Amino acid sequence: MDLINVDSLIDSAMTIGGQLLLLIIVYLIVAPLGKKAVTSGVEQTARRQKLSEGRTKTLQNLLINVFTYVLLFFFIVTFLGILGIPLGPILAGAGIVGLAVGFGAQGLVSDIVTGFFILIEKQIDVDDYVTAAGHDGIVEELGLRTTKLRGFDGTLHYIPNRNIQVVNNHTRGNMRALVDMSIGYSENIDEAIGVLQNVCDQFTGDERLKEGPDVVGVQSFGSSEVVLRVIAQTEKMEQWGVERDLRKAMKEALDESGIEIPFPHHVVLNKNEQ
């Protein structure tokens, strides 16, 4: 009788083990195939709807996350079913526990609701440069619960969506490149403006530029300098590169023209004791 029980247990264990192994194999096959199918479907839809690259990445990441959660749920349910663990008591207990922790889960619900409206209203897309919740950076992922921003120093910020009260999106439309150049009070302003405008004209045809650059005139008067302002409209995320190139070219042009760029001077007086 004992041998029969042992054999029965061994057979049962082998059957359960085989089913679990098959479940794991199916999961490992379905998971990557499902992600590829989601990616392919979104890309085809994006081509038909002429969606931007950032919007396409946003939808891909979101749908892949949803697919992963759903697949994991079915995996756990099937796993428990194979082990013979009844789901009814677990679900009932989950309902009681859920009621108990419901008040503590308000933040999670707020995250999901906020993330849903951010997605629907197209406030943010992947690869956008934004400022949100006191952080700025490039959006790497927009989820229903958190948004990931990659700062320019490499830091990855995980921001709960409920903390995103105001979004400043710096990549919608053309951006502005702004450069202030200073000259001394003794210099000829018209001559300096002409030199700077010649530099601006050399940037005509730069594919990063949408408009300008142009010298708009005197911006302000400092303690020892006259500030001249140059403005241009650029493609998104190109404004900083344009500003750096303009500053370098303008500094070189002012030096060649003999126009002084003021800098702090220090006068040291030595008093000899008699």
Side-chain angles (χ1 to χ4, degrees), residues 9-269:
L9 290 175
I10 293 176
D11 292 340
S12 178
M14 293 182 62
T15 301
I16 293 175
Q19 292 176 345
L20 292 177
L21 179 61
L22 179 61
L23 175 64
I24 293 173
I25 293 175
V26 171
Y27 176 83
L28 294 177
I29 293 175
V30 172
L33 290 179
K35 292 179 180 178
K36 290 183 179 179
V38 170
T39 301
S40 176
V42 172
E43 289 177 350
Q44 293 178 6
T45 302
R47 285 194 294 267
R48 290 196 301 268
Q49 301 294 330
K50 297 181 180 180
L51 300 178
S52 65
E53 182 179 356
R55 189 65 178 173
T56 302
K57 291 181 179 179
T58 301
L59 294 176
Q60 284 178 346
N61 291 335
L62 180 62
L63 292 178
I64 287 175
N65 286 338
V66 172
F67 169 77
T68 301
Y69 293 145
V70 172
L71 182 63
L72 184 60
F73 172 78
F74 280 107
F75 175 83
I76 293 175
V77 170
T78 306
F79 183 85
L80 295 176
I82 292 175
L83 294 179
I85 299 176
L87 298 180
I90 294 179
L91 294 177
I96 297 174
V97 174
L99 181 62
V101 302
F103 293 103
Q106 293 179 4
L108 176 61
V109 175
S110 179
D111 287 336
I112 295 175
V113 172
T114 303
F116 176 78
F117 282 106
I118 290 175
L119 179 68
I120 294 299
E121 295 174 359
K122 301 180 181 180
Q123 299 177 19
I124 299 176
D125 284 329
V126 172
D127 293 336
D128 282 355
Y129 168 46
V130 303
T131 300
H135 300 283
D136 65 307
I138 306 298
V139 179
E140 287 200 352
E141 183 177 325
L142 174 60
L144 286 178
R145 194 179 70 82
T146 60
T147 296
K148 298 179 183 179
L149 293 184
R150 177 74 66 177
F152 287 106
D153 62 352
T155 303
L156 182 60
H157 304 285
Y158 293 82
I159 304 176
N161 289 334
R162 65 180 180 275
N163 292 340
I164 302 178
Q165 303 296 327
V166 177
V167 176
N168 300 318
N169 196 320
H170 307 289
T171 52
R172 297 293 171 87
N174 299 332
M175 302 305 295
R176 185 179 68 173
L178 187 150
V179 177
D180 286 337
M181 295 297 295
S182 299
I183 62 173
Y185 276 102
S186 60
E187 302 297 337
N188 186 297
I189 294 179
D190 291 332
E191 180 184 358
I193 290 177
V195 171
L196 297 181
Q197 187 60 52
N198 287 335
V199 173
C200 292
D201 294 339
Q202 295 173 12
F203 280 78
T204 301
D206 191 317
E207 60 183 10
R208 299 173 298 176
L209 295 172
K210 302 295 290 185
E211 181 181 336
D214 294 298
V215 182
V216 296
V218 177
Q219 175 63 23
S220 63
F221 297 102
S223 58
S224 61
E225 75 278 352
V226 178
V227 181
L228 304 178
R229 173 158 292 184
V230 176
I231 292 179
Q233 297 293 327
T234 74
E235 295 282 357
K236 63 180 182 179
M237 304 299 292
E238 297 290 348
Q239 62 270 28
W240 301 294
V242 171
E243 289 176 352
R244 289 191 293 268
D245 293 342
L246 281 173
R247 290 191 187 97
K248 179 177 182 295
M250 289 177 179
K251 170 64 167 60
E252 295 172 347
L254 291 175
D255 288 344
E256 292 176 359
S257 301
I259 299 176
E260 178 187 7
I261 299 177
F263 56 91
H265 293 76
H266 297 279
V267 178
V268 180
L269 298 177

